[in-house]
Amino acid sequence: RTPNNSSKYSVLLVEDNAPFITAVKMLLKLEGYEVRVASGRDEIVGALRNPAVPDAILLDVNLPGTDGFAVLAGIRKHPALRAIPVIMLTAQANRGDVLRGLSGGASGYITKPFEHEVLMRSLRAVLGLLEQPGKS
């Protein structure tokens, strides 16, 4: 799979915690991803209306003015956005929340705190960039 808009895969990080945003942006940039951030409802809507659609979305649940489950539902209903892989990246770790995210169409669910390699491997998986066993 090739990137949607440039030579780099782009990730939309939907998160409102500034120190967490800084850390994840740095990690993703070091791994070669282009990163955009949206924090509140209006920023999220603006980012998703951008014609340069992201290759993947990392989505928190607890957001100002909305919640990640509602954002996920909107993405999955939208014809131009529904195929974008969404990984929930949140502190909401109870079984009900995980099931709600996955049954709502999330491609993955990672709870905070997380190990960097778990995020990177999950991102590569949803983008189809993992090596397949027996293939070169």
Side-chain angles (χ1 to χ4, degrees):
R1 176 168 177 235
T2 59
N4 288 336
N5 306 299
S6 68
S7 60
K8 289 184 176 183
Y9 288 95
S10 67
V11 176
L12 175 61
L13 174 60
V14 180
E15 172 66 54
D16 67 323
N17 179 300
F20 186 79
I21 291 168
T22 301
V24 173
K25 272 180 75 172
M26 186 171 59
L27 173 66
L28 293 172
K29 286 182 177 188
L30 286 171
E31 292 286 334
Y33 293 95
E34 180 181 294
V35 185
R36 291 183 295 177
V37 177
S39 296
R41 186 185 181 289
D42 292 341
E43 286 181 19
I44 295 165
V45 169
L48 294 174
R49 285 187 175 157
N50 186 325
V53 296
D55 294 292
I57 299 171
L58 300 177
L59 179 59
D60 191 11
V61 170
N62 300 310
L63 298 162
T66 188
D67 75 74
F69 297 122
V71 173
L72 176 64
I75 290 169
R76 290 299 175 240
K77 289 177 188 169
H78 194 285
L81 304 174
R82 72 170 49 121
I84 299 171
V86 176
I87 298 173
M88 305 300 289
L89 185 60
T90 180
Q92 299 294 114
N94 72 50
R95 186 174 187 270
D97 287 329
V98 174
L99 292 173
R100 184 176 175 195
L102 295 174
S103 67
S107 307
Y109 199 104
I110 299 173
T111 57
K112 299 173 187 173
F114 62 92
E115 293 185 26
H116 293 165
E117 188 50 39
V118 169
L119 175 59
M120 297 294 57
R121 188 165 179 78
S122 298
L123 202 47
R124 287 190 298 268
V126 300
L127 292 172
L129 302 175
L130 286 181
E131 294 292 322
Q132 298 295 319
K135 294 187 178 182
S136 48

